[in-house]
Amino acid sequence: MEMLSPEADLILSATDGQIRRIKRVEYELLAKEGCFDDERVELLFGMVVPMAPIDQAHSESVRIVHEALVKQLGARANVYCQTSFAASDESMPEPDVWVTTAGSHWHVHPTRSYLVVEVSKSSLRRDRAKRALYGRADVEEYWIVNQTDDCIEVYRDRVNGTWQLTSIHRRGATISPLAFPDVVIAVSDILPPR
């Protein structure tokens, strides 16, 4: 965690550690004004946080997942890659890949997703923390492409914002989104070669 200046520590202690969180609409206005043009950030639980750097293995996994979903889904759904998702009034993450309803979304970010995929190595801890965010959002299924442990973590069946089913998929297996069971992706294709 980044150390604050003595002045910032003083202000936080004087306010009992309370900070003013921002809403998604405020974040969108700030972004539109160019406030984050030179930064890779996302809004999580009302806080603007920096995103982890992307290495080539991360980029390749994202590309493969994105291409497989686009090819197999066709016009049945929109597949976005590293763009903002309106998860809640206080969260606007930028998932690596996510699938939403087909059609045009020119003026409003979609708030519903059939599937959210995060590719994780250095960001594994944060992406696991995002389970709560996606569990509370209108997300049917969440995958973490876990490059650290060489597997894909799948979270399904939300009840009151908590994922009820968790499964681990390893090389040799295939996975399919619940909403599109005919879409099949080999786990070995998504993970970096050994």
Side-chain angles (χ1 to χ4, degrees), residues 69 71-78 99-103 114 179-183:
L69 289 170
K71 181 179 179 182
Q72 294 184 58
L73 285 170
R76 295 184 289 165
N78 289 353
V99 180
T100 192
T101 55
Y114 298 115
F180 304 98
D182 61 308
V183 172

Side-chain angles (χ1 to χ4, degrees), residues 21-35:
R21 297 182 189 280
I22 66 171
K23 299 286 186 189
R24 188 182 81 231
V25 293
E26 295 169 314
Y27 176 78
E28 288 180 294
L29 287 172
L30 289 168
K32 188 175 181 179
E33 293 296 319
C35 291

Side-chain angles (χ1 to χ4, degrees), residues 20 22 54 64 66 69 71 75 100-101 103 117 135 164 169:
R20 186 217 185 260
I22 66 171
I54 295 174
I64 292 166
H66 182 257
L69 289 170
K71 181 179 179 182
T100 192
T101 55
V117 181
Q164 301 300 302
H169 302 264

Side-chain angles (χ1 to χ4, degrees), residues 26-57:
E26 295 169 314
Y27 176 78
E28 288 180 294
L29 287 172
L30 289 168
K32 188 175 181 179
E33 293 296 319
C35 291
F36 310 119
D37 282 354
D38 297 327
E39 301 176 77
R40 289 193 69 245
V41 296
E42 59 188 342
L43 181 69
L44 303 177
F45 302 105
M47 297 176 286
V48 178
V49 297
M51 296 173 65
I54 295 174
D55 67 10
Q56 188 54 37

